[in-house]
Amino acid sequence: MQGVVVKLDRGFPLVLLPNGDEVRCEHAVALVKNKEHRAVIGDKVEIELPSGHDKGRIIDVLPRRTSFVRKDPTERALPQTLAANFDMVLVAQPLDQINTRRLERELVLAHETGAEVVVVLTKADLLASEDEVSSVLAEIEGFVGDDRVLVLSGDDQASAEPVADLIAEGNKTAILVGRSGVGKSTLVNMLVGSEIQKTTEVREDGKGRHTTVSREIIPLPKGGYIVDMPGVRGLGLWDADEGIGAAFSDVEELAEQCRFRDCSHINEPGCAVRAAVESGDLAETRLESYLRLKDEMAQMLKRRTEAERIRTRRGHPRRRR
């Protein structure tokens, strides 16, 4: 019997069955032994309902159409999948405290999924004027590239309508990512039209408090679904080369014009990327971000290769994503 994981909290995964029933499930022993194969929110799973048992049992996780993957923060060289089978990634950042370093990383991971990417700038009501909003938008223009950018004001219900319309078009499932305190729960409440998610004030040091501790697929009145992901602190890159290419498409297009194919864009002659920086067509900070993320991926690949070599030597099977 197949179903979909519609809620993950501190208990057992909640699986929605084709007949509309919901059943709490535990993982089969084989899946527990290999934590990478455990079900995440949005997964389509094969389950069984043992007679005389108060829970179902997840016996297989079906292939994922899309997945949001980061480097496992507790391991040196292992992936961690946070959500699966979605159509859109909403990247939330607060207009009054945009963290461009985190934004670029969020965009890379979002693009790596292959899903549609939309940036939602929250808390516009905390800025003094429309001119101030426009100024912030101009500052991040280079970071968001061709991605759609929407502005949300916590005191204006109408500002959430464009987000709702995007999700409803095609009956999409969207995941909402961003650090704690950026206004994700407020956005979900505005989309649903009721207070279904608890919200709290941001701490005095500017860091958010974790208010969402579960992942749940929430249906929206206009159509489609949203998943409010708990605030994620660590955003280590995993297989993110394509995501970097998509998030920094302007840099990679320039790189195709460099004299040398393996140009490092540092001091080689005939470097089209450096020329664009010197002419003012490409921001120096954007190139620095691109090079830093590419170097992080290269270092990650080295660690993964070494970890795989050690696992093979010890007789452990190769782990898959």
Side-chain angles (χ1 to χ4, degrees), residues 134-268:
S134 298
S135 175
V136 175
L137 289 174
E139 288 179 11
I140 69 164
E141 183 177 0
F143 288 94
V144 299
D146 296 329
D147 294 327
R148 188 191 300 261
V149 179
L150 300 175
V151 176
L152 181 80
S153 180
D155 60 0
D156 180 12
Q157 176 66 36
S159 67
E161 293 306 305
V163 183
D165 291 339
L166 278 178
I167 298 173
E169 183 181 344
N171 205 40
K172 300 183 184 78
T173 295
I175 63 170
L176 180 55
V177 301
R179 62 179 173 82
S180 297
V182 302
K184 301 192 305 298
S185 295
T186 297
L187 172 57
V188 172
N189 290 338
M190 294 173 74
L191 292 173
V192 175
S194 62
E195 295 289 324
I196 67 168
Q197 297 283 61
K198 181 181 177 182
T199 60
T200 60
E201 296 297 324
V202 176
R203 290 175 0 200
E204 291 183 359
D205 60 6
K207 296 181 180 180
R209 296 184 175 93
H210 287 279
T211 55
T212 302
V213 295
S214 66
R215 299 181 178 97
E216 180 177 5
I217 298 179
I218 303 169
L220 301 180
K222 280 193 170 185
Y225 306 85
I226 191 165
V227 180
D228 182 4
M229 307 284 286
V232 177
R233 290 194 180 95
L235 287 174
L237 304 183
W238 187 247
D239 281 327
D241 281 327
E242 291 185 10
I244 293 174
F248 292 85
S249 59
D250 53 343
V251 179
E252 299 222 328
E253 287 173 6
L254 287 167
E256 293 178 359
Q257 305 170 34
C258 291
R259 181 184 303 176
F260 303 107
R261 176 167 293 188
D262 60 348
C263 183
S264 65
H265 318 306
I266 297 176
N267 54 17
E268 292 91 338

Side-chain angles (χ1 to χ4, degrees), residues 269-293:
C271 176
V273 177
R274 294 301 316 175
V277 170
E278 291 167 6
S279 68
D281 293 330
L282 179 68
E284 176 81 36
T285 53
R286 185 155 174 79
L287 175 58
E288 290 173 354
S289 297
Y290 173 79
L291 294 177
R292 183 177 64 255
L293 293 171

Side-chain angles (χ1 to χ4, degrees), residues 11-234:
F12 294 90
L14 186 66
V15 176
L16 175 66
L17 303 180
N19 64 3
D21 290 344
E22 294 181 338
V23 57
R24 286 285 181 176
C25 293
E26 59 189 8
H27 286 85
V29 175
L31 296 181
V32 172
K33 287 182 177 179
N34 189 341
K35 65 180 181 179
E36 290 181 32
H37 296 172
R38 289 194 180 190
V40 300
I41 191 73
D43 262 330
K44 294 181 179 180
V45 295
E46 191 79 30
I47 74 167
E48 59 184 12
L49 302 173
S51 62
H53 203 281
D54 63 346
K55 296 183 183 67
R57 183 179 296 124
I58 298 174
I59 58 176
D60 193 19
V61 178
L62 302 184
R64 292 161 174 160
R65 177 169 53 87
T66 54
S67 56
F68 190 91
V69 183
R70 67 170 177 176
K71 184 181 77 66
D72 190 329
T74 65
E75 301 281 354
R76 282 179 54 85
L78 289 177
Q80 181 185 46
T81 301
L82 301 181
N85 300 321
F86 47 85
D87 308 289
M88 177 185 292
V89 182
L90 301 175
V91 177
Q93 280 269 350
L95 262 167
D96 62 325
Q97 289 184 330
I98 287 182
N99 184 328
T100 53
R101 282 286 184 93
R102 182 180 175 96
L103 176 59
E104 67 191 19
R105 188 173 291 271
E106 289 171 334
L107 289 174
V108 166
L109 290 175
H111 277 290
E112 187 62 33
T113 70
E116 181 180 357
V117 179
V118 178
V119 177
V120 181
L121 300 178
T122 63
K123 304 189 177 184
D125 48 304
L126 297 184
L127 298 186
S129 66
E130 287 294 328
D131 288 342
E132 193 172 354
V133 172
S134 298
S135 175
V136 175
L137 289 174
E139 288 179 11
I140 69 164
E141 183 177 0
F143 288 94
V144 299
D146 296 329
D147 294 327
R148 188 191 300 261
V149 179
L150 300 175
V151 176
L152 181 80
S153 180
D155 60 0
D156 180 12
Q157 176 66 36
S159 67
E161 293 306 305
V163 183
D165 291 339
L166 278 178
I167 298 173
E169 183 181 344
N171 205 40
K172 300 183 184 78
T173 295
I175 63 170
L176 180 55
V177 301
R179 62 179 173 82
S180 297
V182 302
K184 301 192 305 298
S185 295
T186 297
L187 172 57
V188 172
N189 290 338
M190 294 173 74
L191 292 173
V192 175
S194 62
E195 295 289 324
I196 67 168
Q197 297 283 61
K198 181 181 177 182
T199 60
T200 60
E201 296 297 324
V202 176
R203 290 175 0 200
E204 291 183 359
D205 60 6
K207 296 181 180 180
R209 296 184 175 93
H210 287 279
T211 55
T212 302
V213 295
S214 66
R215 299 181 178 97
E216 180 177 5
I217 298 179
I218 303 169
L220 301 180
K222 280 193 170 185
Y225 306 85
I226 191 165
V227 180
D228 182 4
M229 307 284 286
V232 177
R233 290 194 180 95

